[in-house]
Amino acid sequence: MFWYDGHLHDGSCVSFSIDEPGVLFGATIFTTLRVYAHSLEHPLTAWNAHLQRLQLNVAEFDWIAPDWVQIYHEVLHLSLQHPVIRITLFPGGRELITGRSLPQDLLQSQTIGITAWVADKSVFSRSMAGYKTGNYLPAWLALNAARTRGAQEAILIDPSTGNWLETSTGNLLGWGDGCWWTPPVSDSFSKSASHSTADRDNSLSLEAEKSHAKSAKILPGIMRSQLISWLKCQNKEVSEQLWTPSKVVAFEFIAYCNSVRQVVPIHTAFIESQRIEFNAQHHCLQELLEFYQTRGRSEPNLR
């Protein structure tokens, strides 16, 4: 069951025109949210941040805006049966809204961590990295290449420098020297994260980072923004600096985050013959889990 162009459909197939730019060129934008307790108002659902992501991209691309109220009700309808909702928008104002279950391996990956492969070829570099468009072919290729090598995720890099950027499905977080680290949205944004009190609001943080989208090298993820704001509010130091290969090997803990999987530790990262080990059960992880425990008390078994 899914919604398309204002109509509810059964099954899993949808028809497009043969000249649909979303099919021909990947001309879509999307966001994927996890709905907690069947509520779009739940603080962990972060509906306003996901909505603002879509609205900002529609405006940036000068596309026809959909009926936002209708989209809200369509998402709410599917969220009664599915905890994960993907909203895809087309240039002409049409929407495709689908639902799915949480990943079956989620609890295991959150508990023991995963292995990640460093995708070191330029073919895996994302175009328009600051926007969540339908052209995710490089990330999809990287993830599939990682799986053929026995890894569960791929780490995308800047092929010109070797700096780590993000994973194929999320943003990177690291801990070392008593501080949290995350790659900057763009090279020009490489600085200590010092969001103002106003920017600690999820939607405002997203809007601030979206201003860097044109020069961005990573997606300013919603979960990334939420966790940065949370850590700063807890007086934890968070530094947005380039993840050079020499910096990465000094981290004690790394993880990736996204709206569906929350935080997943990475216990091993490898590239060719080099393997880097991290402590997936590091005590710093509790500082991230407190975010979910504090905001999600209405949903049991967050992990």
Side-chain angles (χ1 to χ4, degrees), residues 52-53 56 130-131 171 182-186 189 191 193 195 199 202-216 218-226 228-229 240:
Q52 186 179 58
R53 164 185 278 170
L56 289 173
Y131 301 94
N171 291 116
T182 186
V185 174
S186 65
F189 196 52
K191 63 180 183 63
H195 299 290
D199 283 341
N202 291 333
S203 61
L204 291 178
S205 289
L206 180 63
E207 185 175 8
E209 291 192 330
K210 275 295 186 179
S211 66
H212 300 271
K214 293 181 180 179
S215 61
I218 69 169
L219 181 76
I222 290 172
M223 184 53 61
R224 173 185 182 274
S225 296
Q226 287 182 306
I228 289 176
S229 296
E240 297 186 57

Side-chain angles (χ1 to χ4, degrees), residues 92-302:
R94 287 168 291 124
E95 84 290 353
L96 173 63
I97 303 179
T98 58
R100 66 176 188 259
S101 301
L102 289 170
Q104 292 184 349
D105 66 343
L106 181 57
L107 179 60
Q108 179 181 10
S109 64
Q110 289 176 322
T111 303
I112 66 175
I114 64 163
T115 298
W117 171 67
V118 181
D120 59 342
K121 296 181 180 179
S122 59
V123 70
F124 302 125
S125 298
R126 288 183 55 222
S127 62
M128 299 179 68
Y131 301 94
K132 206 167 178 70
T133 72
N135 186 7
Y136 253 59
L137 179 59
W140 183 83
L141 290 173
L143 181 58
N144 279 276
R147 288 171 174 169
T148 64
R149 292 164 170 79
Q152 293 77 51
E153 252 294 349
I155 295 173
L156 310 183
I157 68 171
D158 182 341
S160 65
T161 62
N163 294 338
W164 291 19
L165 299 175
E166 57 189 344
T167 75
S168 62
T169 64
N171 291 116
L172 287 165
L173 295 167
W175 194 92
D177 293 330
C179 173
W180 285 99
W181 305 81
T182 186
V185 174
S186 65
D187 288 352
S188 62
F189 196 52
S190 180
K191 63 180 183 63
S192 177
S194 57
H195 299 290
S196 67
T197 302
D199 283 341
R200 288 168 183 167
D201 175 80
N202 291 333
S203 61
L204 291 178
S205 289
L206 180 63
E207 185 175 8
E209 291 192 330
K210 275 295 186 179
S211 66
H212 300 271
K214 293 181 180 179
S215 61
K217 292 196 172 183
I218 69 169
L219 181 76
I222 290 172
M223 184 53 61
R224 173 185 182 274
S225 296
Q226 287 182 306
L227 289 173
I228 289 176
S229 296
W230 164 259
L231 290 169
K232 295 294 291 184
C233 286
Q234 304 305 307
N235 296 318
K236 306 296 182 181
E237 184 179 357
V238 183
S239 183
E240 297 186 57
Q241 298 288 338
L242 297 175
W243 279 31
T244 63
S246 60
K247 182 181 292 292
V248 167
V249 297
F251 290 149
E252 299 176 37
F253 170 90
I254 67 170
Y256 79 95
C257 64
N258 63 39
S259 294
V260 174
R261 288 183 173 265
Q262 300 175 342
V263 175
V264 176
I266 298 173
H267 59 68
T268 305
F270 66 93
I271 177 173
E272 297 178 352
S273 60
Q274 181 186 12
R275 298 177 68 88
I276 311 172
E277 306 288 339
F278 304 96
N279 181 4
Q281 280 78 44
H282 196 281
H283 63 80
C284 70
L285 179 58
Q286 184 57 37
E287 294 180 5
L288 300 179
L289 297 182
E290 287 175 0
F291 167 77
Y292 302 101
Q293 294 164 357
T294 300
R295 298 199 178 187
R297 298 192 189 281
S298 62
E299 184 194 53
N301 302 322
L302 280 175

